[in-house]
Amino acid sequence: MFYSTRDLQSSLPSCLERALLRLAPGATVLALGATALAYGSVVAYAQQAPAPSIQLGEIVVQGQAIQADVSPPFAGGQVTQGAGLGLLGTTDTLKSPFSATGYTADLIKNLQAPTVAEALVLDPSVRSSHPAGGIVDSFNIRGLPVGEGNNGEIAFDGVFGVAPNFRVFTDYAERIEVLKGPSAALFGMAPNGGVGGTINIVPKRAEADLTRIGAEFSSSSVFGTSLDFARRYGSNREFGVRVNGALRGGDTVVDQQFNRTGIGSLALDYQGERFRAWLYLLAQRDDFDAPSRPFLMATGVPVPRAPDGRRNVIQPWEWSQVDDRSALFRTEYDLTDQITLFANAGGSQSEVERFFGLATINNLRGDTTHTPQYFNLDVDRQTYNAGFRARFDTGFIRHQVSFVASHYHDELSRALTSRTPVLSNIYNPVLRAPQFAARAPKTILSESTLGSIALSDTLSILNERVLLTAGVRRQSVEAKNYAPGTGILTSSYDESAVTPLVGLVLRPLENVSLYANYIEGLSRGDIAPAGSLNAGETFAPYRAKQYEVGVKAQFGSFGAGLAGFEITKPSSELNAGLFSVSGEQRVRGLEFNVYGEITPAIRVLGGATVFDGELIKTTVAANLGNTPIGVPSLQLNLGAEWDVPWLRGLTLSGALIHTGKQYINTANTQSLPDWTRLDVGARYATEIAGKKTVFRANVQNVTNEKYWSSVASFGTFYAGTPRTFRLSMTVDL
């Protein structure tokens, strides 16, 4: 059930990566385990000589070093006590001048969320803008797009260019951190210029020894198996290894759709007295037959009612294959007790081959047209950064200074051919005669280089009751675009910009903080297209600007936050033949979130965001004052868990998710109605033969609501998730 009819073909630069992708399902787990055991044996052999007794006192120090950049869980275990802020490092929630949330591996497992998009289902500021059964994770954060395009914008351990390009799976995630709002000074410019927020994956690494195996099922007939293995070795447990592997495959809940996914990750680390190093290797393969695709709407036609989410106009002979390989090497060295040097190097390769189309809905009857296209894409990315962190006092003021220099490069090559149009209907899909891909050689399409240097200082007084953060990043952007099919250079771009950040935190009480920030986002400027009066003219990078104020409070095991924000973002327009940066949208919002334990048996997570989006500048007078594409008036997420008192180990859960009306065009003549979805779940933790065992069951969209879920910035929209059942079992050996 895990095999497709097409032969697996991959060209990988190392034997390890070839093994991860080519091994049979049963052998993959064995190979990952053998790799870990072999590594452990080598380390154990190297440590046979007895350690000097003076080292015994350092064991606790080493344990703390492993956790230094991973925030511990808050009460209830669903979110963390802080989150990574890029340049500023991991920062406690009450000491951070920004709105950020870290979601734990326990929450991810309990949601049975295979991808990052599904793991963020309880964040009131985030909406996934791609359908169930789709091939891409993309998002709206605070009403603005993130992750749209062929360069992934999810950070991995704080850097772009390492996480897989299209779908990021949770099997290798220890934490998923979400920073709301622009973040150019903190993380650098995102590869596609997304400014709504930053999603960061904190990868799993060896902590306590662990051997966990799992089995899973989801409707209609997707089965899977997984392995999570961790060990520490050495006289002071300074060497660590973590292996994660998963295989899933079968017919999904979407009609005619088959999916097979293989994932393997390896994390090695060394924790010395002053030197620390981590190596992450990741490989995944994601194959679809009849992958779900978004819709375009014909001009002047109202959006018809949403179909059943199971319906699929994409033909069973349309397909997608995506191979991702990633590596990241991180090092830290404590020059003194107050100064730490660091250097990181990594990158990824994505090979995409697919044959499908993007359907346009032509009328209220739901008739569609799409043209299958063969698309062969290679994306190569490299990332490097180095810098230092220092802590010192000047009088009664404590400083935390960070400096980083970074370099990112990507190159895209593509082949594209089209076949003949296919007619269908969103309510009654029609099977058509198979077509076959007409293949063409790849040529370079684009390349870009992002370089930056950044410096920040967090000043604190009165035992961190007052914290002021100031920082700045100088970002350079170089881009080259080439003609499709020929590889001839058509335009180039070389610009730079300086983006600041200022944040203030006041803590009148130990458990209450008031905060404010100003920060900017950065997107590469456009080049006036061919045919415009100023064709070839380059524009400076676009600056998105955010002002935010808020309050955070934690009452023992329960926390809450309230934030008000305003983000303005420029955009380009073509008017009377002249291309210019003359458009601008503004998104104002009020964001409320809750988390933690109400009682020892009841946990809550979620909140609400109220939006006020407006086009405040545009050359089309009729659109002035309209609502931007994809910005609803309200997003509501509320999840709760209850430990049933009369059956120890049983927990019931539920989640209510609501999204308000969204427009799919700037003229506001076409829109998606508001929608509400209910999810429920249960889990039972017990011991079988002395082994910790957890059974989980979840149902998404219990009432099988039919709805259009979300909108991308270019007006494509998506059918909502149909009723989906998930079952799983994990055993700790």
Side-chain angles (χ1 to χ4, degrees), residues 441-467:
K442 291 189 294 289
T443 59
I444 187 169
L445 183 68
S446 68
E447 59 179 322
S448 61
T449 301
L450 309 177
S452 71
I453 56 172
L455 178 67
S456 71
D457 186 7
T458 297
L459 303 87
S460 61
I461 59 173
L462 302 177
N463 195 26
E464 297 187 317
R465 289 300 184 96
V466 179
L467 301 98

PDB file of all heavy atoms in Angstrom, residues 441-467:
ATOM      1  N   PRO A 441      13.791  19.832 -21.164  1.00  0.00           N
ATOM      2  CA  PRO A 441      14.969  20.038 -20.305  1.00  0.00           C
ATOM      3  C   PRO A 441      14.806  21.274 -19.431  1.00  0.00           C
ATOM      4  O   PRO A 441      14.175  22.257 -19.820  1.00  0.00           O
ATOM      5  CB  PRO A 441      16.108  20.218 -21.310  1.00  0.00           C
ATOM      6  CG  PRO A 441      15.442  20.692 -22.562  1.00  0.00           C
ATOM      7  CD  PRO A 441      14.090  20.039 -22.598  1.00  0.00           C
ATOM      8  N   LYS A 442      15.391  21.216 -18.243  1.00  0.00           N
ATOM      9  CA  LYS A 442      15.349  22.357 -17.318  1.00  0.00           C
ATOM     10  C   LYS A 442      16.364  23.415 -17.733  1.00  0.00           C
ATOM     11  O   LYS A 442      17.456  23.095 -18.210  1.00  0.00           O
ATOM     12  CB  LYS A 442      15.645  21.905 -15.881  1.00  0.00           C
ATOM     13  CG  LYS A 442      14.579  21.047 -15.252  1.00  0.00           C
ATOM     14  CD  LYS A 442      14.836  20.831 -13.774  1.00  0.00           C
ATOM     15  CE  LYS A 442      16.091  20.018 -13.530  1.00  0.00           C
ATOM     16  NZ  LYS A 442      15.962  18.614 -13.897  1.00  0.00           N
ATOM     17  N   THR A 443      15.989  24.669 -17.521  1.00  0.00           N
ATOM     18  CA  THR A 443      16.908  25.801 -17.671  1.00  0.00           C
ATOM     19  C   THR A 443      16.792  26.675 -16.434  1.00  0.00           C
ATOM     20  O   THR A 443      15.773  26.663 -15.736  1.00  0.00           O
ATOM     21  CB  THR A 443      16.584  26.638 -18.919  1.00  0.00           C
ATOM     22  OG1 THR A 443      15.239  27.132 -18.833  1.00  0.00           O
ATOM     23  CG2 THR A 443      16.737  25.803 -20.191  1.00  0.00           C
ATOM     24  N   ILE A 444      17.818  27.437 -16.149  1.00  0.00           N
ATOM     25  CA  ILE A 444      17.801  28.289 -14.968  1.00  0.00           C
ATOM     26  C   ILE A 444      16.698  29.333 -15.090  1.00  0.00           C
ATOM     27  O   ILE A 444      16.482  29.922 -16.167  1.00  0.00           O
ATOM     28  CB  ILE A 444      19.179  28.948 -14.746  1.00  0.00           C
ATOM     29  CG1 ILE A 444      19.191  29.695 -13.404  1.00  0.00           C
ATOM     30  CG2 ILE A 444      19.551  29.875 -15.908  1.00  0.00           C
ATOM     31  CD1 ILE A 444      20.577  30.153 -12.993  1.00  0.00           C
ATOM     32  N   LEU A 445      15.981  29.565 -14.002  1.00  0.00           N
ATOM     33  CA  LEU A 445      14.870  30.512 -13.988  1.00  0.00           C
ATOM     34  C   LEU A 445      15.198  31.762 -13.174  1.00  0.00           C
ATOM     35  O   LEU A 445      14.875  32.882 -13.576  1.00  0.00           O
ATOM     36  CB  LEU A 445      13.624  29.835 -13.414  1.00  0.00           C
ATOM     37  CG  LEU A 445      12.343  30.658 -13.397  1.00  0.00           C
ATOM     38  CD1 LEU A 445      11.855  30.909 -14.816  1.00  0.00           C
ATOM     39  CD2 LEU A 445      11.259  29.940 -12.581  1.00  0.00           C
ATOM     40  N   SER A 446      15.848  31.571 -12.033  1.00  0.00           N
ATOM     41  CA  SER A 446      16.182  32.722 -11.193  1.00  0.00           C
ATOM     42  C   SER A 446      17.247  32.330 -10.187  1.00  0.00           C
ATOM     43  O   SER A 446      17.459  31.140  -9.906  1.00  0.00           O
ATOM     44  CB  SER A 446      14.944  33.241 -10.445  1.00  0.00           C
ATOM     45  OG  SER A 446      14.516  32.294  -9.483  1.00  0.00           O
ATOM     46  N   GLU A 447      17.922  33.323  -9.646  1.00  0.00           N
ATOM     47  CA  GLU A 447      18.815  33.125  -8.513  1.00  0.00           C
ATOM     48  C   GLU A 447      18.829  34.408  -7.684  1.00  0.00           C
ATOM     49  O   GLU A 447      18.643  35.504  -8.209  1.00  0.00           O
ATOM     50  CB  GLU A 447      20.224  32.742  -8.952  1.00  0.00           C
ATOM     51  CG  GLU A 447      20.922  33.732  -9.855  1.00  0.00           C
ATOM     52  CD  GLU A 447      22.329  33.257 -10.219  1.00  0.00           C
ATOM     53  OE1 GLU A 447      23.005  32.688  -9.340  1.00  0.00           O
ATOM     54  OE2 GLU A 447      22.739  33.475 -11.367  1.00  0.00           O
ATOM     55  N   SER A 448      19.023  34.233  -6.398  1.00  0.00           N
ATOM     56  CA  SER A 448      19.042  35.403  -5.525  1.00  0.00           C
ATOM     57  C   SER A 448      20.030  35.184  -4.394  1.00  0.00           C
ATOM     58  O   SER A 448      20.310  34.048  -3.988  1.00  0.00           O
ATOM     59  CB  SER A 448      17.649  35.690  -4.957  1.00  0.00           C
ATOM     60  OG  SER A 448      17.186  34.605  -4.179  1.00  0.00           O
ATOM     61  N   THR A 449      20.559  36.292  -3.892  1.00  0.00           N
ATOM     62  CA  THR A 449      21.505  36.279  -2.787  1.00  0.00           C
ATOM     63  C   THR A 449      21.066  37.323  -1.764  1.00  0.00           C
ATOM     64  O   THR A 449      20.839  38.486  -2.116  1.00  0.00           O
ATOM     65  CB  THR A 449      22.933  36.592  -3.261  1.00  0.00           C
ATOM     66  OG1 THR A 449      23.336  35.620  -4.229  1.00  0.00           O
ATOM     67  CG2 THR A 449      23.904  36.574  -2.095  1.00  0.00           C
ATOM     68  N   LEU A 450      20.924  36.890  -0.525  1.00  0.00           N
ATOM     69  CA  LEU A 450      20.551  37.778   0.563  1.00  0.00           C
ATOM     70  C   LEU A 450      21.700  37.806   1.564  1.00  0.00           C
ATOM     71  O   LEU A 450      22.058  36.775   2.134  1.00  0.00           O
ATOM     72  CB  LEU A 450      19.278  37.292   1.260  1.00  0.00           C
ATOM     73  CG  LEU A 450      18.068  36.988   0.366  1.00  0.00           C
ATOM     74  CD1 LEU A 450      16.914  36.455   1.201  1.00  0.00           C
ATOM     75  CD2 LEU A 450      17.644  38.228  -0.404  1.00  0.00           C
ATOM     76  N   GLY A 451      22.284  38.960   1.760  1.00  0.00           N
ATOM     77  CA  GLY A 451      23.360  39.110   2.739  1.00  0.00           C
ATOM     78  C   GLY A 451      22.986  40.156   3.761  1.00  0.00           C
ATOM     79  O   GLY A 451      22.296  41.133   3.448  1.00  0.00           O
ATOM     80  N   SER A 452      23.444  39.975   5.003  1.00  0.00           N
ATOM     81  CA  SER A 452      23.079  40.962   6.019  1.00  0.00           C
ATOM     82  C   SER A 452      24.058  40.934   7.178  1.00  0.00           C
ATOM     83  O   SER A 452      24.765  39.943   7.409  1.00  0.00           O
ATOM     84  CB  SER A 452      21.661  40.694   6.549  1.00  0.00           C
ATOM     85  OG  SER A 452      21.629  39.526   7.342  1.00  0.00           O
ATOM     86  N   ILE A 453      24.091  42.038   7.894  1.00  0.00           N
ATOM     87  CA  ILE A 453      24.750  42.109   9.199  1.00  0.00           C
ATOM     88  C   ILE A 453      23.759  42.757  10.153  1.00  0.00           C
ATOM     89  O   ILE A 453      23.008  43.661   9.772  1.00  0.00           O
ATOM     90  CB  ILE A 453      26.079  42.901   9.157  1.00  0.00           C
ATOM     91  CG1 ILE A 453      25.859  44.320   8.591  1.00  0.00           C
ATOM     92  CG2 ILE A 453      27.130  42.162   8.359  1.00  0.00           C
ATOM     93  CD1 ILE A 453      27.101  45.201   8.698  1.00  0.00           C
ATOM     94  N   ALA A 454      23.736  42.264  11.397  1.00  0.00           N
ATOM     95  CA  ALA A 454      22.748  42.759  12.357  1.00  0.00           C
ATOM     96  C   ALA A 454      23.371  42.863  13.737  1.00  0.00           C
ATOM     97  O   ALA A 454      24.247  42.071  14.107  1.00  0.00           O
ATOM     98  CB  ALA A 454      21.535  41.827  12.392  1.00  0.00           C
ATOM     99  N   LEU A 455      22.900  43.842  14.497  1.00  0.00           N
ATOM    100  CA  LEU A 455      23.393  44.078  15.852  1.00  0.00           C
ATOM    101  C   LEU A 455      22.217  44.473  16.733  1.00  0.00           C
ATOM    102  O   LEU A 455      21.358  45.260  16.317  1.00  0.00           O
ATOM    103  CB  LEU A 455      24.436  45.199  15.852  1.00  0.00           C
ATOM    104  CG  LEU A 455      25.021  45.603  17.219  1.00  0.00           C
ATOM    105  CD1 LEU A 455      25.869  44.478  17.794  1.00  0.00           C
ATOM    106  CD2 LEU A 455      25.842  46.884  17.072  1.00  0.00           C
ATOM    107  N   SER A 456      22.167  43.901  17.935  1.00  0.00           N
ATOM    108  CA  SER A 456      21.107  44.268  18.875  1.00  0.00           C
ATOM    109  C   SER A 456      21.663  44.338  20.290  1.00  0.00           C
ATOM    110  O   SER A 456      22.695  43.733  20.605  1.00  0.00           O
ATOM    111  CB  SER A 456      19.957  43.248  18.833  1.00  0.00           C
ATOM    112  OG  SER A 456      20.361  42.023  19.406  1.00  0.00           O
ATOM    113  N   ASP A 457      20.963  45.068  21.150  1.00  0.00           N
ATOM    114  CA  ASP A 457      21.324  45.162  22.562  1.00  0.00           C
ATOM    115  C   ASP A 457      20.035  45.242  23.366  1.00  0.00           C
ATOM    116  O   ASP A 457      19.154  46.065  23.078  1.00  0.00           O
ATOM    117  CB  ASP A 457      22.186  46.405  22.819  1.00  0.00           C
ATOM    118  CG  ASP A 457      22.705  46.464  24.256  1.00  0.00           C
ATOM    119  OD1 ASP A 457      22.511  45.486  25.000  1.00  0.00           O
ATOM    120  OD2 ASP A 457      23.293  47.497  24.619  1.00  0.00           O
ATOM    121  N   THR A 458      19.892  44.330  24.327  1.00  0.00           N
ATOM    122  CA  THR A 458      18.776  44.385  25.265  1.00  0.00           C
ATOM    123  C   THR A 458      19.310  44.884  26.603  1.00  0.00           C
ATOM    124  O   THR A 458      20.144  44.230  27.238  1.00  0.00           O
ATOM    125  CB  THR A 458      18.117  43.010  25.436  1.00  0.00           C
ATOM    126  OG1 THR A 458      17.560  42.590  24.185  1.00  0.00           O
ATOM    127  CG2 THR A 458      17.005  43.069  26.475  1.00  0.00           C
ATOM    128  N   LEU A 459      18.844  46.055  27.012  1.00  0.00           N
ATOM    129  CA  LEU A 459      19.272  46.680  28.261  1.00  0.00           C
ATOM    130  C   LEU A 459      18.194  46.440  29.314  1.00  0.00           C
ATOM    131  O   LEU A 459      16.994  46.634  29.039  1.00  0.00           O
ATOM    132  CB  LEU A 459      19.487  48.180  28.077  1.00  0.00           C
ATOM    133  CG  LEU A 459      20.488  48.635  27.001  1.00  0.00           C
ATOM    134  CD1 LEU A 459      19.787  48.764  25.641  1.00  0.00           C
ATOM    135  CD2 LEU A 459      21.093  49.976  27.387  1.00  0.00           C
ATOM    136  N   SER A 460      18.591  46.024  30.501  1.00  0.00           N
ATOM    137  CA  SER A 460      17.610  45.762  31.548  1.00  0.00           C
ATOM    138  C   SER A 460      18.077  46.343  32.872  1.00  0.00           C
ATOM    139  O   SER A 460      19.274  46.429  33.159  1.00  0.00           O
ATOM    140  CB  SER A 460      17.365  44.261  31.697  1.00  0.00           C
ATOM    141  OG  SER A 460      18.551  43.576  32.065  1.00  0.00           O
ATOM    142  N   ILE A 461      17.096  46.754  33.690  1.00  0.00           N
ATOM    143  CA  ILE A 461      17.373  47.282  35.020  1.00  0.00           C
ATOM    144  C   ILE A 461      16.340  46.732  35.983  1.00  0.00           C
ATOM    145  O   ILE A 461      15.329  46.136  35.578  1.00  0.00           O
ATOM    146  CB  ILE A 461      17.353  48.833  35.046  1.00  0.00           C
ATOM    147  CG1 ILE A 461      15.990  49.354  34.597  1.00  0.00           C
ATOM    148  CG2 ILE A 461      18.457  49.404  34.175  1.00  0.00           C
ATOM    149  CD1 ILE A 461      15.829  50.865  34.748  1.00  0.00           C
ATOM    150  N   LEU A 462      16.586  46.939  37.267  1.00  0.00           N
ATOM    151  CA  LEU A 462      15.645  46.555  38.325  1.00  0.00           C
ATOM    152  C   LEU A 462      15.268  45.085  38.230  1.00  0.00           C
ATOM    153  O   LEU A 462      14.089  44.706  38.258  1.00  0.00           O
ATOM    154  CB  LEU A 462      14.386  47.432  38.266  1.00  0.00           C
ATOM    155  CG  LEU A 462      14.603  48.949  38.380  1.00  0.00           C
ATOM    156  CD1 LEU A 462      13.297  49.688  38.224  1.00  0.00           C
ATOM    157  CD2 LEU A 462      15.289  49.294  39.697  1.00  0.00           C
ATOM    158  N   ASN A 463      16.296  44.227  38.115  1.00  0.00           N
ATOM    159  CA  ASN A 463      16.086  42.785  38.056  1.00  0.00           C
ATOM    160  C   ASN A 463      15.147  42.417  36.911  1.00  0.00           C
ATOM    161  O   ASN A 463      14.231  41.612  37.060  1.00  0.00           O
ATOM    162  CB  ASN A 463      15.539  42.260  39.387  1.00  0.00           C
ATOM    163  CG  ASN A 463      15.659  40.747  39.490  1.00  0.00           C
ATOM    164  OD1 ASN A 463      16.534  40.134  38.860  1.00  0.00           O
ATOM    165  ND2 ASN A 463      14.776  40.134  40.262  1.00  0.00           N
ATOM    166  N   GLU A 464      15.397  43.011  35.743  1.00  0.00           N
ATOM    167  CA  GLU A 464      14.654  42.772  34.503  1.00  0.00           C
ATOM    168  C   GLU A 464      13.179  43.165  34.616  1.00  0.00           C
ATOM    169  O   GLU A 464      12.330  42.599  33.940  1.00  0.00           O
ATOM    170  CB  GLU A 464      14.788  41.316  34.050  1.00  0.00           C
ATOM    171  CG  GLU A 464      16.222  40.927  33.701  1.00  0.00           C
ATOM    172  CD  GLU A 464      16.329  39.550  33.084  1.00  0.00           C
ATOM    173  OE1 GLU A 464      15.671  38.614  33.577  1.00  0.00           O
ATOM    174  OE2 GLU A 464      17.071  39.403  32.101  1.00  0.00           O
ATOM    175  N   ARG A 465      12.892  44.143  35.436  1.00  0.00           N
ATOM    176  CA  ARG A 465      11.534  44.706  35.464  1.00  0.00           C
ATOM    177  C   ARG A 465      11.340  45.705  34.331  1.00  0.00           C
ATOM    178  O   ARG A 465      10.205  45.972  33.925  1.00  0.00           O
ATOM    179  CB  ARG A 465      11.264  45.380  36.812  1.00  0.00           C
ATOM    180  CG  ARG A 465      11.109  44.414  37.973  1.00  0.00           C
ATOM    181  CD  ARG A 465       9.939  43.455  37.758  1.00  0.00           C
ATOM    182  NE  ARG A 465       9.715  42.586  38.894  1.00  0.00           N
ATOM    183  CZ  ARG A 465       8.840  42.817  39.861  1.00  0.00           C
ATOM    184  NH1 ARG A 465       8.116  43.916  39.823  1.00  0.00           N
ATOM    185  NH2 ARG A 465       8.692  41.973  40.845  1.00  0.00           N
ATOM    186  N   VAL A 466      12.426  46.259  33.817  1.00  0.00           N
ATOM    187  CA  VAL A 466      12.384  47.151  32.655  1.00  0.00           C
ATOM    188  C   VAL A 466      13.418  46.657  31.658  1.00  0.00           C
ATOM    189  O   VAL A 466      14.591  46.491  31.996  1.00  0.00           O
ATOM    190  CB  VAL A 466      12.691  48.613  33.050  1.00  0.00           C
ATOM    191  CG1 VAL A 466      12.653  49.508  31.815  1.00  0.00           C
ATOM    192  CG2 VAL A 466      11.713  49.099  34.115  1.00  0.00           C
ATOM    193  N   LEU A 467      12.961  46.375  30.421  1.00  0.00           N
ATOM    194  CA  LEU A 467      13.860  45.904  29.372  1.00  0.00           C
ATOM    195  C   LEU A 467      13.629  46.729  28.116  1.00  0.00           C
ATOM    196  O   LEU A 467      12.480  46.905  27.673  1.00  0.00           O
ATOM    197  CB  LEU A 467      13.616  44.426  29.044  1.00  0.00           C
ATOM    198  CG  LEU A 467      13.788  43.413  30.182  1.00  0.00           C
ATOM    199  CD1 LEU A 467      12.407  43.065  30.776  1.00  0.00           C
ATOM    200  CD2 LEU A 467      14.460  42.138  29.685  1.00  0.00           C
TER     201      LEU A 467
END
